Amino acid sequence: MAPGHLNKRPKNRTGLTSQKIRHVISHRDPIYRGLHPRQEVLGSKQIAERAAGVSVRKKSRMKGVIPCSPISPTTTITMEALDFYRIAHQRNPHFSIQAYVRTLCDLQGVQFYPYLSRQFSIALDVYLQILANVDSLVHQAISRSDPIWRLKHACPACTYTLKGEVPLKFSLLYTMDGNDSLKRVVRGDRYLSREYVDQFLADSPADMMADEDEDNPCAGRWKNMRDEKTRKMWGVFDESGIFMSACRHGFSLLIADMVQSGEQSKYPLAVVSKLLDTFGKDLGGGYDVGCRFKTTLSRSSLGRRAHDLNHTSLVGAFHGHAHRRLCQLDHLTTYVDGLGLEDLEGCEHIFSKSNALAASVRYASIFHRRQAIANYFQHNDDFEVYANLTTFLYNNYKQALNVLHDAHTTLPKLMAELGVTDDNVFDAWLAEERSYLMSLMQEPEHETLHMEYWQRLVNLSGSRKDLDAASMAWAVSTPRTVQFGAHDVTSTTRNETARRHAIENYDKDLKVVQELEVKLGITRRWVPDDPEWRDAGRLVANRKLQCALDNLEGLVVARIFELSKMNRAGTGYKLRKHIGKALQVRSAAIRTALDKYNTAARAVSPPRATLSWEDVVEYAFVADFDLLRDARQDVSHRPWATPTGRHTMDTYFKMRRASEEIQRLNVEIRRMATYLRDKELYLTECQKQLQSMHPALAHQVGAHRNIRARFTSYHLRRLHEIRLIAPGESVEEGPGAAASAAAVCIPAKLLPVGPTMMEEGEDEVLQDLEEEEIADADGEEDSRVLEAILQVAGDA
C-alpha cells in the first residue's frame, strides 16, 4: 500500500473494519492490550505530548497509544506493544518487525497484511523519538544536558574519579577497531559526524597498511587489509561498517561510520582526537595495528598534542601474537608496565554480539541504520555491560590472585633452575633480546655488497660457460653430406646469433663485476677456493633460509587465525565449510614450505637444525620465529632464548601485570562503590525536589533512576564477595568523596504557556470537537501533504 494511503480505511478480503484491525496491534492479552488512560507507559501524557510535539488540543486522543498517521489515523498501536517489541529486539536483534506483527495476528486469529508491518514501523519510529525526547528532558532537569556528559561519565569504574585516589599510569584504557558487518547497501552523541572524521583525511596516508616505514618492524605485514585490495568491494556500500571505541569494561565510547572505504586511519585519528579533548592525558589505546598507527599518529596534526598528553598506542593480546617479535617487545600487553591483565580486545567481544544487527541494517535507510545501532549500544551499556560490571571486577580480581599464587609457587623453582637470584635480570634479558632483534632488521652493508659480488661472479662463470659452448659449436661436413642449401645457411645463422648473445651476456656480467670490485676495493678477483668466496656463499644460503622461514611463518599464522575463526560463535555453516577446505589447502602448503625450509637449513654451513610439524605449531603460538633468524651469531645458548628461560620470563612479567591489575582494581572498586551511593542519593534528591514542582517530570526521573538502580543490590553483593576473597584497601576504606549537591530545573518545553494547559475539563472537550470538524474539512489536503512527507522519508 502506498505510504499516502496509510491514513485511509484499508480494504481487506476478510471484511474487517479499521476498528477491528486496530485490535490486531492492541491485543487483548495483558502484555499487548491498550493501557488505561491513567496508566500510560510514559507516566504522564503531558510529558509524552510535549516530547512528541503534539498539539495540546489533540491530547485527549492520546491515551497510551501511538497513531500510524498524524492526520485522521485509522490504526493505532499501544505503547505496551511497542515497548515490548523494542525490548525484545534489543535482546535479540534477529527478531524482526514482520515476525512480531505476524505473531500478534496469529494471537488474534486474523490474517496478516504487509501494510501492518509498515504501519507498525511508523508508530515505532514515533515511539522511539518520544523516548529520546523524554530522556533529553530528564537530563535537562537533572543538570546533565552537556553534549559530552555521557562520554565523560560513560563508565563508573573508568571515569568516576575520586579525590586522593592512587594515580594510575593509564588514566583510561580503551580499545578501538573497525567492523564491516554493519554495512549498508547504497539505496546521538555517541556518533562522530562525517565532517568531524573527514577533517583528519589530510593526515591519513593513502594506505595505512603500506610498508614504506622502515622503522616499523611490522610494516608491510598486513597485506590482506591494504586499501587497493578492498576498494572495489567497498564501492558497493555507502556505509561500509562502523569504527568504534570502548573502555576496558565494555562501555561504548564513540562510533563513526566508515563511508565507502576500508579501515582508513582517519577513523582512529578522529576517535583519538575526541578522547584527548574529553579525558586529557595518560590515555592508553589498544588497536590491532597499534604499532603502525603510532607512527601515523605521530606524523599527523595530532602528533604534538598526543605526545604532550602522553598518549600510548598499544596492541591487543590476541592480535599482538601475530606481530613481529620486536614489535611485541614494545607493544604487547604482557610487557607494558601499568597495563595489568587487560588484553585490549574488548571490541572483538562487542562485535561478536553486535553482528546480529547486520541483517536488519544492510538495506535500511541512513536514519533507521543509525537508530538501530545507537539504540542497541545504549541498551547494551545499560542492561548488559553495567549489569555485569562488578562481575568483571570480581573475575579480574580472582584471576589476578590466581596468577600471583601460581607465580609465587613456580617462579622460585624456575629461577633456581636457571641459577638466577635477582628478578631484575629479566628486564635486562628483555633489553638484550630487543637489541639482538634490532640488529637483524637490516643486513650490514658490506655483507650485502659481498653477497651481491658473489652472485655476480656466479653469473659471470655461467655466462663464460655459455660463451665457450657457443664458440665450440662446429658443423662437421663430408663430401657426401655437404650441401649448400637453405638448411645450412639457417644453421650457420642460428649458431652465429647464439654466439653473439653469449658474448653480450658475458660482457654485461663482466662490467657489473668490475664495478663491484672498484666499490669493494678488490684487487684480485675471487675464485671458488678463496675463503672470501666461501664466506659470501654461506651468507647467500642463509638469506635463502630466511626467505623460506618468512613463507613458513606467514602460512602458519594464517592457519592459527582460521582455526580461531572456525570456532567462533556466529560463524555460519557455509563459512565453516569454506574455512575447512582452506585449512586443508593451507596444511598442504605448510608442509611444502616446511620441506623447503628444512632443505635450506641443511644447505647452510654449518647446517641448521630442521623443524618438525609439532615445532612449527608451537612456534606459531609463542611467536618464536624471529629467534630462528640468526645469521651472524649463535643465540641458542643465551638464557632468554632457551625454553626454560622464556617460560620464566613470561611467568615473571605475568606476575608483575597481576600486581598492577590488583592496584587498578582497588581504585576501580572504590569508584564503583562511590558511584552506587552518589547516583542513588543524587537522583533520589532530584526526584524529591521535582515532586512538588512537576510531578510528571519527577516520575520520569524515577524511571530513569531505576534503569540502573535495579542492579544495585547485585553490585553490592559482588563487592562484598570481593572483600571476602581479598580484604584490603579496595573495600575496607569504603566509598570515596561524595558527588555534588542535587540541582534541578524545569525544561523550557515543559513550562506552562496558557490556561488551557492548567485545566482539563469541558473546555477541552469543546476544543476537541471543533478540532475534529476542522480536521474533517481539511483531511484531503492534509493527506496529500502527508503522502509527500512519507515519500521523502521512504526515499531517505
Side-chain angles (χ1 to χ4, degrees):
M1 180 177 290
H5 296 159
L6 290 178
N7 62 331
K8 299 181 180 180
R9 293 179 181 269
K11 297 180 179 180
N12 56 78
R13 298 179 181 177
T14 62
L16 291 173
T17 65
S18 60
Q19 297 296 327
K20 293 182 180 179
I21 290 181
R22 181 177 305 166
H23 291 288
V24 174
I25 311 299
S26 179
H27 191 255
R28 290 185 298 272
D29 187 85
I31 200 169
Y32 301 112
R33 69 166 180 254
L35 296 178
H36 189 274
R38 299 187 182 276
Q39 296 175 345
E40 290 89 350
V41 172
L42 297 179
S44 169
K45 60 177 181 289
Q46 184 188 28
I47 294 286
E49 291 156 4
R50 291 304 184 86
V54 178
S55 172
V56 178
R57 294 182 177 182
K58 298 181 181 180
K59 63 183 178 180
S60 62
R61 301 178 187 177
M62 305 293 291
K63 304 297 185 180
V65 295
I66 299 293
C68 297
S69 171
I71 303 170
S72 302
T74 61
T75 303
T76 60
I77 303 174
T78 63
M79 291 183 179
E80 274 188 337
L82 292 167
D83 201 53
F84 182 84
Y85 173 76
R86 178 184 68 87
I87 297 174
H89 180 70
Q90 299 300 344
R91 288 296 184 182
N92 181 15
H94 294 290
F95 190 34
S96 64
I97 289 178
Q98 186 181 84
Y100 181 61
V101 175
R102 283 179 179 271
T103 301
L104 294 178
C105 291
D106 293 343
L107 288 173
Q108 295 198 18
V110 298
Q111 182 176 350
F112 167 80
Y113 291 97
Y115 65 79
L116 293 175
S117 296
R118 174 63 174 163
Q119 289 177 332
F120 187 92
S121 177
I122 294 172
L124 180 63
D125 288 342
V126 175
Y127 179 65
L128 292 177
Q129 187 61 42
I130 291 175
L131 293 182
N133 290 346
V134 170
D135 190 62
S136 176
L137 294 175
V138 170
H139 280 82
Q140 292 179 42
I142 61 178
S143 303
R144 294 178 176 178
S145 58
D146 189 344
I148 63 172
W149 189 92
R150 185 206 62 83
L151 179 59
K152 293 176 66 175
H153 302 83
C155 175
C158 289
T159 61
Y160 203 73
T161 56
L162 307 177
K163 295 179 181 179
E165 66 182 13
V166 178
L168 301 174
K169 179 178 180 179
F170 298 106
S171 61
L172 175 69
L173 286 173
Y174 70 94
T175 177
M176 57 183 177
D177 200 1
N179 177 27
D180 60 4
S181 293
L182 301 181
K183 58 177 69 74
R184 186 182 69 87
V185 175
V186 177
R187 341 182 353 162
D189 66 346
R190 201 179 305 266
Y191 259 95
L192 294 176
S193 65
R194 293 188 182 183
E195 293 75 17
Y196 185 86
V197 173
D198 287 339
Q199 66 178 317
F200 300 98
L201 185 60
D203 295 326
S204 304
D207 187 359
M208 189 168 63
M209 305 303 169
D211 53 1
E212 72 278 0
D213 186 9
E214 297 180 355
D215 297 330
N216 195 308
C218 290
R221 190 168 180 80
W222 312 108
K223 295 185 174 70
N224 62 314
M225 283 298 294
R226 287 188 175 177
D227 192 61
E228 67 270 11
K229 295 190 176 182
T230 57
R231 188 180 297 113
K232 291 183 180 180
M233 188 270 286
W234 301 135
V236 181
F237 305 100
D238 188 6
E239 292 90 6
S240 53
I242 62 171
F243 191 94
M244 73 168 298
S245 63
C247 75
R248 86 184 197 110
H249 304 95
F251 288 93
S252 60
L253 300 177
L254 295 169
I255 302 175
D257 281 327
M258 295 192 295
V259 182
Q260 294 184 349
S261 67
E263 200 169 311
Q264 294 182 350
S265 58
K266 65 179 181 180
Y267 304 113
L269 286 174
V271 168
V272 171
S273 176
K274 189 68 174 180
L275 293 179
L276 290 176
D277 292 340
T278 305
F279 297 107
K281 62 179 182 179
D282 297 332
L283 302 184
Y287 191 21
D288 52 6
V289 288
C291 55
R292 187 70 182 89
F293 176 69
K294 180 175 71 173
T295 304
T296 303
L297 178 62
S298 63
R299 295 176 180 177
S300 69
S301 58
L302 296 174
R304 172 57 60 184
R305 185 154 61 104
H307 179 269
D308 294 341
L309 294 176
N310 195 29
H311 181 276
T312 305
S313 294
L314 304 167
V315 178
F318 174 74
H319 292 89
H321 286 286
H323 288 234
R324 299 289 188 190
R325 178 63 180 175
L326 183 59
C327 174
Q328 294 181 18
L329 297 179
D330 293 327
H331 303 99
L332 192 62
T333 56
T334 306
Y335 305 116
V336 178
D337 290 334
L339 196 57
L341 297 178
E342 175 58 34
D343 59 4
L344 297 176
E345 295 289 356
C347 284
E348 303 301 325
H349 303 297
I350 294 173
F351 293 153
S352 67
K353 295 192 299 181
S354 66
N355 285 344
L357 279 173
S360 59
V361 302
R362 186 66 52 86
Y363 293 93
S365 65
I366 296 177
F367 168 77
H368 285 104
R369 176 180 175 276
R370 282 203 171 190
Q371 180 191 70
I373 294 175
N375 288 340
Y376 172 82
F377 282 109
Q378 179 179 349
H379 183 275
N380 184 68
D381 287 348
D382 289 337
F383 294 94
E384 290 289 342
V385 182
Y386 180 78
N388 296 306
L389 182 53
T390 50
T391 301
F392 177 96
L393 300 176
Y394 174 83
N395 291 337
N396 276 33
Y397 218 119
K398 192 173 182 179
Q399 178 189 7
L401 292 176
N402 290 336
V403 171
L404 288 176
H405 178 268
D406 294 342
H408 289 151
T409 303
T410 60
L411 186 60
K413 298 178 181 179
L414 294 173
M415 293 176 62
E417 183 177 347
L418 293 171
V420 176
T421 57
D422 185 6
D423 55 10
N424 291 326
V425 72
F426 298 119
D427 291 306
W429 286 2
L430 210 63
E432 184 179 354
E433 182 181 359
R434 182 183 292 106
S435 300
Y436 166 71
L437 293 176
M438 290 183 65
S439 68
L440 299 181
M441 289 186 63
Q442 291 182 343
E443 297 171 336
E445 183 178 1
H446 69 279
E447 290 187 3
T448 303
L449 292 176
H450 285 168
M451 287 188 287
E452 181 69 16
Y453 179 62
W454 180 88
Q455 188 63 52
R456 294 299 181 178
L457 287 177
V458 172
N459 295 343
L460 180 63
S461 176
S463 59
R464 181 63 192 181
K465 293 179 180 179
D466 294 340
L467 178 60
D468 292 341
S471 301
M472 297 299 294
W474 294 94
V476 180
S477 301
T478 63
R480 293 184 177 181
T481 61
V482 64
Q483 295 180 0
F484 298 99
H487 175 75
D488 290 335
V489 174
T490 301
S491 178
T492 302
T493 303
R494 185 185 303 110
N495 292 336
E496 291 177 351
T497 301
R499 186 173 182 276
R500 176 168 54 83
H501 289 170
I503 293 174
E504 292 173 352
N505 292 335
Y506 177 79
D507 292 340
K508 180 183 66 175
D509 292 338
L510 179 62
K511 183 178 180 180
V512 174
V513 168
Q514 291 172 347
E515 291 176 352
L516 288 173
E517 287 177 346
V518 173
K519 183 178 293 187
L520 292 172
I522 297 176
T523 58
R524 187 180 67 85
R525 187 165 298 164
W526 293 354
V527 295
D529 293 334
D530 292 338
E532 296 85 356
W533 178 288
R534 292 193 295 269
D535 293 341
R538 184 167 58 253
L539 292 176
V540 172
N542 285 334
R543 174 186 284 180
K544 294 180 179 179
L545 178 67
Q546 303 307 322
C547 292
L549 182 60
D550 287 338
N551 183 38
L552 178 62
E553 179 184 5
L555 291 172
V556 172
V557 172
R559 175 182 178 273
I560 298 303
F561 281 169
E562 287 168 348
L563 281 173
S564 64
K565 174 64 177 177
M566 194 171 186
N567 294 323
R568 186 179 304 171
T571 303
Y573 172 77
K574 291 184 178 180
L575 183 56
R576 291 179 187 271
K577 296 292 291 183
H578 176 75
I579 294 176
K581 293 180 180 179
L583 285 173
Q584 294 178 1
V585 177
R586 185 82 65 191
S587 298
I590 291 175
R591 295 188 182 277
T592 301
L594 181 61
D595 293 339
K596 291 182 179 180
Y597 171 81
N598 289 334
T599 300
R602 288 188 289 266
V604 299
S605 179
R608 301 288 294 274
T610 57
L611 295 177
S612 64
W613 176 262
E614 291 75 14
D615 295 333
V616 167
V617 175
E618 180 66 18
Y619 278 129
F621 278 109
V622 301
D624 279 344
F625 277 97
D626 288 333
L627 297 181
L628 300 175
R629 303 182 187 281
D630 182 25
R632 289 173 289 276
Q633 51 183 318
D634 184 13
V635 297
S636 59
H637 299 293
R638 296 185 185 180
W640 50 266
T642 61
T644 303
R646 299 191 65 77
H647 179 54
T648 306
M649 286 176 59
D650 289 341
T651 303
Y652 169 74
F653 284 109
K654 286 181 180 179
M655 182 183 68
R656 279 177 49 174
R657 299 293 84 82
S659 300
E660 296 167 355
E661 180 71 15
I662 289 180
Q663 180 184 7
R664 174 173 286 275
L665 288 172
N666 287 337
V667 173
E668 292 179 346
I669 290 170
R670 288 197 67 214
R671 290 177 179 176
M672 185 62 187
T674 307
Y675 172 85
L676 292 174
R677 181 195 65 186
D678 291 351
K679 184 176 179 66
E680 181 67 21
L681 292 176
Y682 183 85
L683 293 181
T684 301
E685 181 62 25
C686 288
Q687 184 178 1
K688 181 179 179 181
Q689 294 181 16
L690 287 170
Q691 192 65 45
S692 58
M693 302 168 58
H694 201 297
L697 189 57
H699 174 82
Q700 292 302 320
V701 172
H704 173 74
R705 177 179 63 86
N706 187 57
I707 291 177
R708 291 192 173 184
R710 70 188 70 183
F711 305 113
T712 300
S713 60
Y714 174 79
H715 289 326
L716 293 177
R717 288 198 304 270
R718 274 300 190 183
L719 293 177
H720 178 69
E721 291 173 0
I722 294 177
R723 177 193 297 187
L724 296 179
I725 64 172
E729 176 186 1
S730 60
V731 181
E732 293 297 335
E733 290 189 5
S740 58
V744 298
C745 65
I746 304 298
K749 184 181 290 188
L750 297 181
L751 293 176
V753 295
T756 58
M757 295 187 60
M758 305 298 294
E759 301 177 357
E760 295 184 12
E762 296 181 357
D763 293 339
E764 182 181 0
V765 176
L766 293 176
Q767 291 171 353
D768 290 338
L769 293 175
E770 293 174 359
E771 183 184 17
E772 288 179 0
E773 294 177 0
I774 296 174
D776 292 337
D778 299 334
E780 185 175 356
E781 180 181 356
D782 292 338
S783 297
R784 289 196 298 267
V785 174
L786 175 62
E787 182 176 2
I789 294 174
L790 293 178
Q791 185 64 37
V792 173
D795 294 340

